[in-house]
Amino acid sequence: MLKILKSVFGLLSIGIAVYALITGRFVIMPYMIFLLGAMFVVIGITEFQLKRKGTAYSNFIVSLFLFSASIKGFLLN
């Protein structure tokens, strides 16, 4: 289940990035950053289940940074 979620979040963020590059509309980039944050949360959960706590904590920290960047992007647009 977590592999499917990780793949879905990754593919959606890649799709949004390609769409933004082709059309030149970078207003939707906070959505891509939010999806990347969700993907890092899922990766952190899987790493935590595999008993790799160091990489799990770093993934959670990266996801917090991405969520804060996406919230800032939502508020500025």
Side-chain angles (χ1 to χ4, degrees):
M1 179 68 185
L2 291 176
K3 286 183 182 182
I4 294 170
L5 274 175
K6 182 174 64 170
S7 299
V8 166
F9 288 144
L11 289 174
L12 284 173
S13 62
I14 288 172
I16 290 173
V18 168
Y19 174 77
L21 284 174
I22 290 173
T23 61
R25 292 186 52 196
F26 296 105
V27 183
I28 59 172
M29 294 307 271
Y31 296 106
M32 183 200 71
I33 295 171
F34 183 80
L35 289 172
L36 284 174
M39 186 178 75
F40 271 98
V41 166
V42 172
I43 292 172
I45 291 170
T46 56
E47 292 291 324
F48 197 75
Q49 288 175 347
L50 294 174
K51 307 288 191 244
R52 298 183 200 154
K53 293 185 180 181
T55 56
Y57 291 139
S58 65
N59 283 326
F60 288 133
I61 291 170
V62 169
S63 70
L64 287 175
F65 173 73
L66 287 171
F67 284 139
S68 65
S70 70
I71 289 171
K72 185 177 178 181
F74 285 133
L75 293 177
L76 290 179
N77 289 334

